[in-house]
């Protein structure tokens, strides 16, 4: 249990990368050709960008991959000095083990300053014979156009529920854990397509026992059960403001949620409510306004109760219209 499972069970080859078959097939063609252009991996967190880059390097270089692969995190070292120093120094040295080129993997490249990106563009151009770059980012729009045009872009999508369940099932079997089907569904709900978050959530739950239940998952991940949030909104929409306020207290205290946490779950649950679409539009608009106020420093309890009061008024208006 001392090991971090996300590293322990990280795929060692491209064929083991989960949920990104099209991308894996394209990368595999580069391995077969023993050559590749500069690459850009774009997509949400936890979808396999870093894993794919490491697996690609392992298959290209075999035992000498560590000497020909340099991983840097641009969010830690994001200035122009890093590009002119560490990156340029590695790029200009010859590859080892008979390889034709090295690989620099620049994680979170969208955190680089504009000056650093401009310097990086020139470095990519000048040392392309001895070095290839793989840029990983959550938001490709933050990468300047001259760099994007020099890269083959790979867009990673959130993982499908069945892929997450399959991978978690394999980890649970390897760790000799008993995991309920509802608990697997809960982990999928919590992760929202992020495999790293799903694996880490499973490990946290497993630290409290070998039997993983849905209650254990939600309590260890700091999220309320979706049905409880839905009941909260339904009570408010029925016009029972005080009862809804009490339920809000119970949820926030039981799960230790902040105002922003519960608001995110309310937003996800709005679309499951049995109300007309135009009311969902009004509710999402109101939720966005409340979220903005909380971020700007307003008291979260007052703002959340304001949202419940708004829902209660909507419910009363619906009842009056029906009469």
């Amino acid at each position: 249990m001392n090991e971090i499972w996300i590293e322990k069970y990280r795929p060692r080859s491209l064929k083991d990368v989960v949920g990104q078959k099209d991308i894996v097939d394209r990368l595999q063609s580069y391995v077969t050709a023993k050559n590749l252009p500069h690459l850009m991996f774009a997509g949400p967190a936890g979808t396999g960008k870093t894993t794919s880059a490491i697996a690609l390097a392992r298959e290209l270089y075999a035992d000498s991959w560590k000497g020909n692969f340099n991983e840097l995190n641009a969010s830690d070292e994001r200035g122009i000095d890093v590009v002119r120093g560490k990156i340029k120094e590695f790029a200009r040295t010859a590859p080892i083990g008979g390889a034709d080129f090295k690989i620099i993997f620049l994680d979170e490249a969208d955190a680089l300053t504009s000056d650093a990106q401009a310097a990086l563009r020139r470095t990519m151009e000048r040392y392309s014979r001895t070095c290839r770059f793989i840029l990983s980012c959550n938001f490709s729009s933050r990468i300047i156009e001259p760099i994007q045009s020099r890269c083959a872009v790979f867009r990673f999508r959130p993982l499908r529920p069945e892929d997450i369940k399959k991978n978690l099932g394999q980890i649970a079997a390897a760790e000799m854990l008993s995991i309920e089907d509802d608990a697997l569904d809960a982990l999928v709900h919590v992760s929202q397509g992020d495999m790293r978050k799903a694996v880490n959530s499973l490990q946290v739950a497993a630290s409290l026992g070998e039997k993983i239940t849905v209650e254990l998952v939600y309590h260890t991940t700091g999220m309320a059960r979706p049905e409880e949030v839905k009941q909260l909104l339904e009570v408010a929409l029925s016009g029972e403001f005080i009862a809804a306020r009490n339920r809000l207290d119970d949820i926030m205290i039981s799960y230790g949620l902040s105002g922003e946490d519960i608001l995110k779950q309310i937003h996800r649950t709005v679309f499951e409510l049995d109300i007309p679409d135009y009311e969902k539009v009004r509710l999402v608009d109101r939720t966005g306004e409340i979220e903005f106020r909380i971020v700007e420093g307003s008291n979260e309890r007052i703002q959340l109760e304001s949202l419940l009061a708004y829902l209660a008024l909507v419910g009363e208006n619906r009842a009056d219209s029906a009469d």
Side-chain angles (χ1 to χ4, degrees), residues 219-255:
H219 276 284
T220 54
T221 55
M223 286 187 69
R225 296 182 65 161
E227 54 267 30
E228 292 184 32
V229 178
K230 187 176 181 180
Q231 289 171 3
L232 167 68
L233 298 181
E234 289 174 343
V235 169
L237 283 168
S238 69
E240 299 180 34
F241 171 73
I242 299 301
R245 184 176 180 273
N246 292 336
R247 280 180 178 265
L248 176 65
D249 285 338
D250 291 340
I251 291 174
M252 294 188 72
I253 292 171
S254 297
Y255 294 98

Coordinates of all heavy atoms in Angstrom, one line a residue, residues 219-255:
H219 N -17.4 8.8 0.5 CA -16.8 9.5 1.7 C -15.3 9.8 1.6 O -14.9 10.8 2.1 CB -17.1 8.6 3.0 CG -18.5 8.9 3.5 ND1 -18.8 10.0 4.3 CD2 -19.6 8.1 3.4 CE1 -20.1 9.9 4.6 NE2 -20.6 8.8 4.1
T220 N -14.6 8.9 0.9 CA -13.2 9.1 0.8 C -12.8 10.1 -0.4 O -11.7 10.6 -0.4 CB -12.4 7.8 0.5 OG1 -13.0 7.1 -0.6 CG2 -12.6 6.9 1.7
T221 N -13.7 10.3 -1.3 CA -13.4 11.2 -2.4 C -14.0 12.6 -2.2 O -13.7 13.5 -3.0 CB -14.0 10.7 -3.7 OG1 -15.4 10.4 -3.6 CG2 -13.3 9.4 -4.1
G222 N -14.7 12.8 -1.1 CA -15.2 14.1 -0.8 C -16.3 14.6 -1.8 O -16.3 15.7 -2.2
M223 N -17.1 13.6 -2.2 CA -18.3 14.0 -3.1 C -19.5 13.4 -2.5 O -19.5 12.3 -1.9 CB -18.1 13.4 -4.5 CG -17.1 14.1 -5.3 SD -17.0 13.5 -7.0 CE -18.6 14.1 -7.6
A224 N -20.6 14.1 -2.6 CA -21.9 13.6 -2.1 C -22.5 12.6 -3.2 O -22.2 12.7 -4.4 CB -22.9 14.8 -1.9
R225 N -23.3 11.7 -2.7 CA -23.9 10.8 -3.6 C -24.9 11.6 -4.5 O -25.6 12.4 -4.1 CB -24.7 9.7 -2.9 CG -23.8 8.8 -2.0 CD -24.5 7.7 -1.3 NE -25.1 6.8 -2.2 CZ -25.5 5.6 -1.9 NH1 -25.4 5.2 -0.6 NH2 -26.1 4.8 -2.8
P226 N -24.9 11.3 -5.8 CA -25.7 12.0 -6.8 C -27.2 12.1 -6.4 O -27.8 13.1 -6.6 CB -25.5 11.3 -8.1 CG -24.2 10.6 -8.0 CD -24.1 10.3 -6.5
E227 N -27.7 10.9 -5.9 CA -29.1 10.9 -5.5 C -29.4 11.8 -4.4 O -30.5 12.3 -4.3 CB -29.5 9.4 -5.2 CG -28.7 8.7 -4.1 CD -27.6 7.9 -4.7 OE1 -27.0 8.3 -5.8 OE2 -27.2 6.9 -4.1
E228 N -28.5 12.0 -3.5 CA -28.7 13.0 -2.4 C -28.8 14.4 -2.9 O -29.6 15.2 -2.4 CB -27.6 12.8 -1.3 CG -27.6 11.5 -0.6 CD -26.6 11.4 0.5 OE1 -26.3 12.5 1.1 OE2 -26.0 10.3 0.8
V229 N -27.9 14.7 -3.8 CA -27.9 16.1 -4.4 C -29.2 16.3 -5.1 O -29.9 17.4 -5.1 CB -26.7 16.3 -5.3 CG1 -26.8 17.7 -5.9 CG2 -25.4 16.2 -4.5
K230 N -29.7 15.3 -5.9 CA -30.9 15.3 -6.6 C -32.1 15.5 -5.7 O -33.0 16.3 -5.9 CB -31.1 14.1 -7.5 CG -32.3 14.2 -8.4 CD -32.4 12.9 -9.3 CE -33.6 13.0 -10.2 NZ -33.7 11.8 -11.1
Q231 N -32.1 14.8 -4.6 CA -33.2 15.0 -3.6 C -33.2 16.4 -3.0 O -34.3 17.0 -2.8 CB -33.0 13.9 -2.5 CG -33.3 12.5 -2.9 CD -33.0 11.5 -1.9 OE1 -32.5 11.8 -0.8 NE2 -33.1 10.2 -2.2
L232 N -32.0 16.9 -2.8 CA -31.9 18.3 -2.3 C -32.6 19.3 -3.2 O -33.4 20.1 -2.8 CB -30.4 18.7 -2.1 CG -30.1 20.1 -1.9 CD1 -30.6 20.6 -0.5 CD2 -28.6 20.4 -2.0
L233 N -32.3 19.1 -4.5 CA -32.9 20.1 -5.5 C -34.4 19.8 -5.6 O -35.2 20.8 -5.7 CB -32.2 19.9 -6.8 CG -30.7 20.2 -6.9 CD1 -30.2 20.0 -8.3 CD2 -30.4 21.6 -6.4
E234 N -34.8 18.6 -5.5 CA -36.3 18.3 -5.6 C -37.0 18.8 -4.5 O -38.2 19.3 -4.6 CB -36.5 16.8 -5.8 CG -36.0 16.2 -7.1 CD -36.1 14.7 -7.2 OE1 -36.2 14.1 -6.2 OE2 -36.1 14.2 -8.4
V235 N -36.5 18.7 -3.3 CA -37.1 19.3 -2.1 C -37.2 20.8 -2.2 O -38.3 21.4 -1.9 CB -36.3 18.9 -0.8 CG1 -36.8 19.7 0.4 CG2 -36.4 17.4 -0.5
A236 N -36.2 21.5 -2.7 CA -36.2 22.9 -2.9 C -37.3 23.3 -3.9 O -38.0 24.2 -3.7 CB -34.8 23.4 -3.3
L237 N -37.3 22.5 -5.0 CA -38.3 22.8 -6.1 C -39.8 22.6 -5.6 O -40.7 23.1 -6.2 CB -38.0 22.0 -7.3 CG -36.8 22.4 -8.2 CD1 -36.4 21.4 -9.2 CD2 -37.2 23.8 -8.9
S238 N -39.9 21.8 -4.6 CA -41.3 21.5 -4.0 C -41.8 22.7 -3.2 O -42.9 22.7 -2.7 CB -41.3 20.2 -3.2 OG -40.6 20.4 -2.0
G239 N -40.9 23.7 -3.0 CA -41.2 24.9 -2.2 C -40.9 24.8 -0.7 O -41.1 25.7 0.0
E240 N -40.3 23.7 -0.3 CA -39.9 23.5 1.1 C -38.5 24.0 1.4 O -37.5 23.2 1.4 CB -40.0 22.0 1.5 CG -41.4 21.5 1.3 CD -41.5 20.0 1.7 OE1 -40.8 19.6 2.6 OE2 -42.3 19.3 1.1
F241 N -38.3 25.3 1.5 CA -37.0 25.9 1.7 C -36.3 25.4 2.9 O -35.1 25.1 2.9 CB -37.2 27.4 1.7 CG -35.9 28.1 2.0 CD1 -34.8 28.2 1.1 CD2 -35.7 28.7 3.2 CE1 -33.6 28.8 1.4 CE2 -34.5 29.4 3.6 CZ -33.5 29.4 2.6
I242 N -37.0 25.4 4.1 CA -36.3 25.1 5.3 C -35.8 23.6 5.3 O -34.7 23.3 5.7 CB -37.2 25.3 6.5 CG1 -37.6 26.8 6.6 CG2 -36.6 24.8 7.8 CD1 -36.5 27.7 6.8
A243 N -36.7 22.7 4.7 CA -36.3 21.3 4.6 C -35.0 21.2 3.7 O -34.1 20.4 4.0 CB -37.4 20.5 4.1
A244 N -35.0 21.9 2.6 CA -33.9 21.9 1.7 C -32.6 22.4 2.3 O -31.5 21.9 2.1 CB -34.2 22.7 0.4
R245 N -32.8 23.5 3.1 CA -31.6 24.1 3.8 C -31.1 23.1 4.8 O -29.8 22.9 5.0 CB -32.1 25.3 4.6 CG -31.0 26.1 5.3 CD -31.5 27.4 5.9 NE -30.5 28.1 6.6 CZ -30.2 27.9 7.9 NH1 -30.8 26.9 8.6 NH2 -29.2 28.6 8.4
N246 N -31.9 22.3 5.5 CA -31.4 21.3 6.5 C -30.7 20.2 5.7 O -29.7 19.6 6.2 CB -32.6 20.7 7.2 CG -33.2 21.7 8.2 OD1 -32.5 22.7 8.6 ND2 -34.5 21.6 8.6
R247 N -31.2 19.8 4.6 CA -30.6 18.8 3.8 C -29.2 19.2 3.3 O -28.2 18.5 3.3 CB -31.4 18.4 2.6 CG -32.5 17.4 2.9 CD -33.3 17.0 1.6 NE -34.3 16.1 1.9 CZ -34.2 14.8 1.7 NH1 -33.0 14.3 1.3 NH2 -35.2 13.9 2.0
L248 N -29.1 20.5 2.9 CA -27.8 21.1 2.5 C -26.8 21.0 3.7 O -25.7 20.6 3.5 CB -28.0 22.5 2.1 CG -26.7 23.3 1.7 CD1 -26.1 22.7 0.5 CD2 -27.0 24.8 1.5
D249 N -27.3 21.3 4.9 CA -26.4 21.2 6.0 C -25.9 19.8 6.2 O -24.7 19.6 6.5 CB -27.1 21.7 7.3 CG -27.3 23.2 7.4 OD1 -26.5 23.9 6.7 OD2 -28.2 23.7 8.1
D250 N -26.8 18.8 6.1 CA -26.4 17.4 6.3 C -25.4 17.0 5.3 O -24.4 16.3 5.7 CB -27.7 16.5 6.2 CG -28.6 16.7 7.4 OD1 -28.2 17.3 8.4 OD2 -29.8 16.4 7.2
I251 N -25.6 17.4 4.0 CA -24.7 16.9 3.0 C -23.3 17.6 3.2 O -22.3 16.9 3.1 CB -25.2 17.3 1.6 CG1 -26.5 16.4 1.3 CG2 -24.2 17.1 0.5 CD1 -27.2 16.8 0.0
M252 N -23.3 18.8 3.4 CA -22.0 19.5 3.6 C -21.2 19.1 4.8 O -20.0 18.9 4.7 CB -22.2 21.1 3.6 CG -22.7 21.6 2.3 SD -22.8 23.4 2.3 CE -21.1 23.8 2.1
I253 N -21.9 18.8 5.9 CA -21.2 18.3 7.1 C -20.8 16.9 6.9 O -19.7 16.5 7.3 CB -22.1 18.5 8.3 CG1 -22.3 20.0 8.6 CG2 -21.5 17.8 9.5 CD1 -23.4 20.3 9.7
S254 N -21.7 16.0 6.4 CA -21.4 14.6 6.3 C -20.2 14.3 5.4 O -19.3 13.5 5.6 CB -22.6 13.8 5.7 OG -23.7 13.9 6.6
Y255 N -20.1 15.0 4.3 CA -19.0 14.8 3.3 C -17.9 15.8 3.3 O -16.9 15.7 2.6 CB -19.6 14.8 1.9 CG -20.6 13.7 1.6 CD1 -22.0 13.9 1.7 CD2 -20.2 12.4 1.3 CE1 -22.9 12.8 1.5 CE2 -21.0 11.4 1.0 CZ -22.4 11.6 1.1 OH -23.3 10.5 0.9

